[in-house]
C-alpha cells in the first residue's frame, strides 16, 4: 500500500478514555475490555500519537487472519521478542521469522503423538505421587497444589531421574521470581528507570543466568553418561537440523528448555484449578465425570487406552478452557501494510486478540457465560471448535498441546476417581497476567 493511501481503522476508543482508565486496566484489563467491546463492537482501535494504532478484537475473522491465513505477515510483539526473551532466551516462544521456522521444524518431531505416548507411564506415576499428599476434608487453596503438580510433571518429564529435588525447587523459584518481575516491567513501563537504577533488572538477569547454569549442568551430565533415557531432554538431544544433521548447541537447548518450563506448567495449573472449581460448583457435571471414569476403568487398565476413552472428561476440560483460557490473550504486529476485512492497516500496527472475550462472544456461543460441556460433544463440537483457542492457532500453535492434554486428562481422572470435590469459595477470582491466573480458589476434597 502506498504511503499516501488512506488507512482505515475500526471504531476508535477515545485516547482520553484510554488514559483515564490506564491505571485500572494495568491491574485487571478484562472488565474494561468487555465494556469497550460492548460499546464499540467486536473490534476497536486506539490511536497513540500521530500514526501509531492499537487494535483489540474478539472477532474470529481477525483471529484467523493474523494467526492462520496471513500469519507470515504478522510477528510477535515486543512483549515476547524483547521483554520475555531477555530472561528466557531465544526459543520458540520468543522468536520469529526464519529462525523460528528452523527451530519449529527441528523440535516438532519430539512432540509428535507417538513420542508423547512414550512419556505417559512416567507422567502417570508422577501425578500419582503428587496427589498422595493432597489434604482431605479441609479447605484447600488449589492453585498452589496444582502449580506444584504441573511443575513436577514438566520437570520430571524433561529430566526424568537426572535432577535433584534441590535443583528442582531452585529452578521453580527462579522461574516464578522472574515471571513476577516481568509482569511489573510490562505493566509499569514508566518505572523502567527505577527498576534499572535500583538493581532489580540486574538481579533478575543474574537469576536467569543461574537458571542457565543449572540446566547446563544437567545437560552436560546427561551427555557424559551417554545413555538413552526416556524423557524430553533425550528427545531434544536427539533432534537434528535438516541439511546439516547437527543437533542444537547447548545454549540453544537451554533456551528451549527454559521456554518449556515457562510456558508448560503455569498454564496447566491454571486450567486444572478452574476445572476443579467448576466441577465443585456443578456437582451434576462432576457426577457425569465420575460415571465415565467408572466405565473406563471397567473397560481397560491401559493408561493410553483410558486417555483415548475420556470423551466427557475432554469436553469438561475444553469447556473450562473456553470460559477461562489459560493463555487469555495474544498479540501480533504486521510487518507489511495489510487489509483485514474492510480495514486498511499500516505496517507496525499492534493487534491483540482476547481469547477470553472471543470465547464468550454471543455471536459464536449461546448462553456464553454458562458452563456447558455439551458444547464439545457430538454435533455441537464441530461448531464449537471453530471458535476455540485454548492453545492458540496456526503454525505457532503451542507445541506442547498434546503433552498438556494428556496431563490434564490424567490428573482430572485421578482426582475425581478418589475424591468428591466440594465448593468453598464463592465466585472465582483471577489475575490476568501473562496467563489467566486463579486467585484464592478453595475447594474441599472428600474421600469417595
Amino acid at each position: 500500500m502506498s504511503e499516501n493511501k488512506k488507512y482505515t481503522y475500526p471504531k476508535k476508543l477515545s485516547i482520553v478514555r484510554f488514559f483515564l482508565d490506564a491505571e485500572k486496566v494495568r491491574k485487571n484489563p478484562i472488565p474494561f475490555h468487555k465494556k469497550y467491546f460492548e460499546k464499540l463492537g467486536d473490534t476497536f482501535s486506539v490511536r497513540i500519537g500521530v500514526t501509531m494504532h492499537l487494535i483489540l478484537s474478539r472477532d474470529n475473522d481477525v483471529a484467523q487472519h493474523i494467526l492462520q491465513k496471513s500469519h507470515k505477515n504478522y510477528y510477535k510483539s515486543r512483549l515476547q521478542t524483547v521483554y520475555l526473551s531477555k530472561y528466557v532466551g531465544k526459543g520458540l516462544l520468543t522468536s520469529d521469522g526464519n529462525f523460528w521456522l528452523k527451530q519449529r521444524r527441528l523440535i516438532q518431531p519430539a512432540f509428535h503423538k507417538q513420542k508423547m505416548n512414550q512419556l505417559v507411564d512416567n507422567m502417570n506415576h508422577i501425578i500419582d505421587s503428587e496427589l498422595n499428599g493432597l489434604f482431605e476434608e479441609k479447605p484447600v487453596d488449589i492453585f498452589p497444589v496444582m502449580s506444584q503438580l504441573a511443575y513436577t510433571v514438566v520437570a520430571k518429564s524433561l529430566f526424568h531421574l537426572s535432577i535433584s529435588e534441590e535443583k528442582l525447587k531452585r529452578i521453580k523459584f527462579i522461574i516464578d521470581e522472574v515471571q513476577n518481575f516481568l509482569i511489573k516491567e510490562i505493566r509499569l513501563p514508566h518505572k523502567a528507570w527505577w527498576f534499572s537504577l535500583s538493581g532489580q533488572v540486574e538481579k533478575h538477569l543474574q537469576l536467569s543466568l543461574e537458571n542457565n547454569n543449572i540446566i547446563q549442568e544437567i545437560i552436560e551430565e546427561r551427555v557424559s553418561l551417554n545413555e538413552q533415557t526416556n524423557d524430553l531432554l533425550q528427545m531434544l538431544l536427539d533432534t537434528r537440523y535438516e541439511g546439516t544433521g547437527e543437533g542444537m548447541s547447548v545454549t540453544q537447548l537451554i533456551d528451549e528448555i527454559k521456554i518449556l518450563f515457562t510456558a508448560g506448567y503455569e498454564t496447566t495449573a491454571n486450567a486444572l484449578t478452574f476445572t476443579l472449581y467448576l466441577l465443585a460448583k456443578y456437582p451434576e457435571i462432576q457426577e457425569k465425570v465420575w460415571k465415565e471414569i467408572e466405565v473406563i476403568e471397567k473397560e481397560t487398565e491401559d493408561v493410553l487406552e483410558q486417555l483415548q476413552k475420556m470423551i466427557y472428561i475432554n469436553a469438561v476440560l475444553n469447556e473450562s478452557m473456553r470460559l477461562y483460557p489459560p493463555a487469555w490473550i495474544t498479540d501480533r504486529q504486521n510487518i507489511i501494510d495489510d487489509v483485514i476485512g474492510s480495514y486498511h492497516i499500516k505496517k507496525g500496527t499492534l493487534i491483540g486478540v482476547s481469547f477470553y472475550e472471543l470465547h464468550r462472544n454471543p455471536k459464536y456461543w449461546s448462553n456464553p457465560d454458562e458452563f456447558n460441556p455439551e458444547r464439545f460433544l457430538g454435533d455441537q463440537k464441530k461448531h464449537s471448535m471453530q471458535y476455540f483457542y485454548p492453545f492458540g492457532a496456526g503454525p505457532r500453535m503451542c507445541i506442547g498441546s498434546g503433552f498438556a492434554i494428556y496431563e490434564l486428562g490424567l490428573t482430572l481422572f485421578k482426582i475425581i476417581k478418589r475424591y468428591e470435590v466440594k465448593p468453598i469459595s464463592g465466585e472465582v477470582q483471577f489475575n490476568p497476567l501473562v496467563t489467566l491466573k486463579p486467585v484464592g480458589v478453595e475447594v474441599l476434597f472428600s474421600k469417595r
Side-chain angles (χ1 to χ4, degrees):
M1 187 180 292
S2 64
E3 283 299 317
N4 59 5
K5 190 165 183 180
K6 184 179 179 183
Y7 296 100
T8 56
Y9 282 86
K11 195 169 183 179
K12 289 183 175 62
L13 175 69
S14 156
I15 191 66
V16 174
R17 181 77 268 159
F18 178 75
F19 281 115
L20 285 174
D21 290 341
E23 195 58 38
K24 291 178 182 176
V25 168
R26 282 195 189 106
K27 292 178 180 177
N28 185 358
I30 285 179
F32 293 90
H33 290 176
K34 182 178 177 63
K35 181 175 74 173
Y36 300 151
F37 283 130
E38 289 177 349
K39 180 180 179 182
L40 300 170
D42 288 344
T43 304
F44 65 87
S45 63
V46 184
R47 189 169 73 182
I48 309 293
V50 179
T51 59
M52 178 64 185
H53 280 82
L54 311 177
I55 292 175
L56 188 66
S57 183
R58 62 174 184 180
D59 186 278
N60 195 59
D61 290 341
V62 174
Q64 289 285 307
H65 184 86
I66 69 170
L67 298 177
Q68 290 185 287
K69 294 176 182 175
S70 296
H71 68 90
K72 290 182 180 178
N73 297 332
Y74 286 85
Y75 277 13
K76 296 164 187 172
S77 72
R78 288 173 58 84
L79 169 64
Q80 293 179 65
T81 57
V82 176
Y83 285 98
L84 189 57
S85 66
K86 183 167 63 175
Y87 300 110
V88 300
K90 195 175 182 183
L92 273 182
L93 186 65
T94 57
S95 60
D96 258 316
N98 290 332
F99 179 78
W100 168 83
L101 184 60
K102 180 182 175 183
Q103 287 303 109
R104 182 79 185 204
R105 286 175 174 169
L106 173 72
I107 297 169
Q108 186 74 53
F111 286 86
H112 189 274
K113 189 173 182 179
Q114 287 181 329
K115 295 283 188 181
M116 292 300 98
N117 289 351
Q118 295 173 27
L119 301 176
V120 164
D121 282 340
N122 186 35
M123 186 187 291
N124 194 41
H125 293 311
I126 297 166
I127 294 168
D128 267 336
S129 176
E130 289 296 307
L131 291 179
N132 282 338
L134 207 58
F135 291 108
E136 299 171 11
E137 307 298 345
K138 61 171 69 174
V140 178
D141 182 353
I142 46 177
F143 177 72
V145 177
M146 293 301 108
S147 179
Q148 185 59 52
L149 180 148
Y151 174 77
T152 305
V153 170
V154 170
K156 292 190 175 179
S157 295
L158 260 167
F159 300 134
H160 194 34
L161 304 175
S162 305
I163 185 167
S164 67
E165 289 298 321
E166 183 184 351
K167 286 180 180 176
L168 202 69
K169 288 176 182 176
R170 187 61 183 169
I171 292 172
K172 185 176 189 299
F173 171 80
I174 292 171
I175 290 170
D176 290 343
E177 284 288 301
V178 168
Q179 277 195 334
N180 290 336
F181 180 66
L182 175 65
I183 294 300
K184 287 170 67 176
E185 278 197 301
I186 292 167
R187 289 198 171 175
L188 303 169
H190 57 289
K191 290 189 175 181
W193 66 272
W194 169 247
F195 294 146
S196 182
L197 189 65
S198 63
Q200 292 183 63
V201 171
E202 181 59 29
K203 172 190 170 183
H204 290 89
L205 286 172
Q206 287 301 316
L207 280 173
S208 184
L209 183 61
E210 181 188 345
N211 214 7
N212 289 359
N213 292 335
I214 295 171
I215 295 169
Q216 183 168 344
E217 285 175 14
I218 295 167
I219 294 168
E220 289 174 349
E221 184 180 343
R222 172 67 61 83
V223 171
S224 69
L225 289 173
N226 197 26
E227 294 176 357
Q228 285 291 315
T229 305
N230 188 25
D231 61 12
L232 279 169
L233 173 57
Q234 191 64 52
M235 292 176 187
L236 292 173
L237 284 167
D238 290 343
T239 58
R240 293 292 180 267
Y241 287 109
E242 292 178 5
T244 67
E246 295 178 353
M248 271 187 278
S249 68
V250 172
T251 301
Q252 192 59 50
L253 195 54
I254 290 168
D255 284 354
E256 296 300 351
I257 286 170
K258 286 170 74 175
I259 293 292
L260 290 174
F261 269 126
T262 304
Y265 90 89
E266 190 166 288
T267 50
T268 305
N270 295 351
L272 285 169
T273 300
F274 287 123
T275 304
L276 289 168
Y277 158 79
L278 288 164
L279 290 179
K281 186 177 179 181
Y282 295 91
E284 69 282 4
I285 294 175
Q286 185 178 164
E287 184 65 17
K288 289 182 181 179
V289 171
W290 163 240
K291 293 295 183 188
E292 181 175 75
I293 291 169
E294 281 191 311
V295 170
I296 290 171
E297 288 211 304
K298 286 176 183 175
E299 291 179 349
T300 180
E301 294 181 358
D302 183 87
V303 179
L304 266 177
E305 290 179 5
Q306 287 179 342
L307 280 164
Q308 290 161 7
K309 290 176 181 290
M310 293 181 193
I311 307 301
Y312 192 73
I313 287 173
N314 283 328
V316 166
L317 288 165
N318 282 344
E319 178 66 349
S320 171
M321 289 190 288
R322 180 189 70 84
L323 287 169
Y324 302 105
W328 68 280
I329 194 167
T330 193
D331 54 37
R332 295 287 188 271
Q333 210 156 6
N334 54 321
I335 58 172
I336 60 170
D337 289 355
D338 198 17
V339 176
I340 304 180
S342 59
Y343 308 118
H344 295 246
I345 65 172
K346 190 176 182 180
K347 171 185 173 181
T349 299
L350 181 64
I351 303 178
V353 173
S354 170
F355 296 138
Y356 182 91
E357 286 294 336
L358 195 157
H359 283 179
R360 293 169 182 254
N361 190 335
K363 185 163 77 174
Y364 311 122
W365 309 91
S366 59
N367 301 314
D369 295 324
E370 178 187 323
F371 179 55
N372 177 17
E374 303 294 323
R375 300 179 204 271
F376 292 94
L377 293 172
D379 293 339
Q380 291 187 63
K381 183 177 180 180
K382 187 176 180 181
H383 169 84
S384 296
M385 294 303 287
Q386 298 175 82
Y387 312 109
F388 184 51
Y389 298 85
F391 301 104
R396 291 185 179 90
M397 183 174 170
C398 174
I399 199 169
S401 58
F403 183 94
I405 289 166
Y406 278 2
E407 183 182 353
L408 291 168
L410 280 175
T411 306
L412 198 59
F413 187 96
K414 290 176 180 298
I415 290 176
I416 302 303
K417 174 187 171 182
R418 298 182 190 188
Y419 303 104
E420 183 181 352
V421 188
K422 298 178 180 178
I424 298 293
S425 306
E427 287 303 305
V428 68
Q429 302 297 314
F430 52 76
N431 191 3
L433 303 173
V434 175
T435 65
L436 192 67
K437 186 174 181 179
V439 177
V441 180
E442 290 190 326
V443 299
L444 185 145
F445 295 103
S446 183
K447 204 85 170 176
R448 287 195 184 272

